Amino acid sequence: MRLENLNIDSLDPHRLAAFWAAALGAKTVTEEEDLVEIRLHLPAGRFLDLCFERVPDPSAVKSRVHPDLTGGPHQRETVERLLGLGATRTDIGQGDVPWVVLADPEGNTFCVMDEREAYRGTGVLTSLILEGDDPSRDADFWAVATGWERVQGVAEASLRHPSGTGPLLEFLTESGAKRGKNRMHLDVRPGPDDGAVTSRLRDLGAQLLTDNPDWPWSTWSDPSGNEFCILAPYA
């Protein structure tokens, strides 16, 4: 299994993809009228694609899935660069915290993190945050879904690729009950020998939402109700 995509529902996928490509130093790999995909290269020959799909009415509620960016000793400069690209400062009730909360041009919130030992070697993308009602349970679920491993971090539970490089998956207790579809979700792709993984995920609490035989993916929810997709297996 591999974590392959971060999907972001978009009113204007071209504008939003341009912001995130500049923010992350990612390159465009697909550009259509209603879909833009950019690729962030990760250590050990890996990648994460950010997929921006046009939707007529993206959810207006706070997504329980979001990325955090690396700031570290250059946090202030990073924040100023992102503001220059079109980000805005936003208040989600964070109070006095060492990280900076911003919103992208369509209002999706993300953080620019302060320097922490747990984030060494992550690259420009510090982590992907998933909120739920049981972070430890959700981490066990996503360890199966991604093949990533538990690590000591600053979140309630954290996973990282077995290589020990790249961003973390961080699991936090939800700030409120889920209301509507998340504007962001993750996609995972099984390998040729991962035929039993879907059954294992069902046993761990996955729920099938849609499975159209004409689509090369199926849509599911994790034990906390966060949507994700299982893509067609890679060769």
Side-chain angles (χ1 to χ4, degrees):
M1 296 290 286
R2 71 185 185 203
L3 175 59
E4 187 159 314
N5 301 331
L6 172 64
N7 275 268
I8 305 175
D9 291 346
S10 311
L11 285 169
D12 185 342
H14 296 269
R15 178 188 183 210
L16 202 56
F19 169 83
W20 281 101
L24 298 172
K27 302 298 183 183
T28 300
V29 292
T30 300
E31 189 165 14
E32 302 173 359
E33 182 178 356
D34 295 325
L35 174 69
V36 182
E37 297 180 348
I38 63 174
R39 178 160 294 179
L40 175 64
H41 288 282
L42 302 174
R46 297 178 294 122
F47 65 88
L48 178 71
D49 285 350
L50 282 75
C51 305
F52 303 85
E53 184 174 1
R54 191 187 307 276
V55 297
D57 187 23
S59 174
V61 301
K62 174 180 174 287
S63 179
R64 299 200 301 174
V65 179
H66 73 264
D68 283 346
L69 274 59
T70 300
H74 307 292
Q75 184 187 56
R76 179 176 297 179
E77 297 94 320
T78 300
V79 168
E80 291 303 317
R81 182 177 70 85
L82 293 166
L83 293 173
L85 293 173
T88 54
R89 295 181 183 272
T90 189
D91 188 343
I92 58 172
Q94 66 267 22
D96 185 16
V97 293
W99 57 87
V100 179
V101 183
L102 300 177
D104 71 15
E106 290 198 2
N108 299 300
T109 56
F110 64 95
C111 301
V112 180
M113 300 305 297
D114 52 302
E115 187 169 20
R116 304 185 187 201
E117 182 64 31
Y119 296 152
R120 290 192 183 278
T122 59
V124 65
L125 184 64
T126 297
S127 56
L128 297 168
I129 304 297
L130 289 87
E131 293 184 7
D133 53 29
D134 187 335
S136 183
R137 177 205 61 200
D138 290 349
D140 289 341
F141 175 90
W142 281 96
V144 174
T146 61
W148 291 19
E149 300 173 347
R150 286 266 198 154
V151 294
Q152 186 67 39
V154 296
E156 293 165 77
S158 300
L159 299 176
R160 201 171 193 182
H161 188 269
S163 66
T165 62
L168 284 75
L169 282 175
E170 295 189 316
F171 300 87
L172 303 175
T173 299
E174 59 191 348
S175 54
K178 187 173 186 291
R179 296 182 292 122
K181 179 181 181 292
N182 288 326
R183 291 184 69 167
M184 299 187 185
H185 72 265
L186 301 178
D187 293 344
V188 295
R189 189 182 296 277
D193 300 322
D194 290 331
V197 171
T198 299
S199 294
R200 292 180 63 194
L201 294 177
R202 281 185 185 271
D203 292 340
L204 291 171
Q207 298 288 325
L208 179 64
L209 301 178
T210 59
D211 187 13
N212 188 323
D214 295 329
W215 297 346
W217 67 83
S218 54
T219 306
W220 300 73
S221 62
D222 72 8
S224 283
N226 295 312
E227 300 86 4
F228 71 100
C229 291
I230 300 179
L231 308 176
Y234 62 87

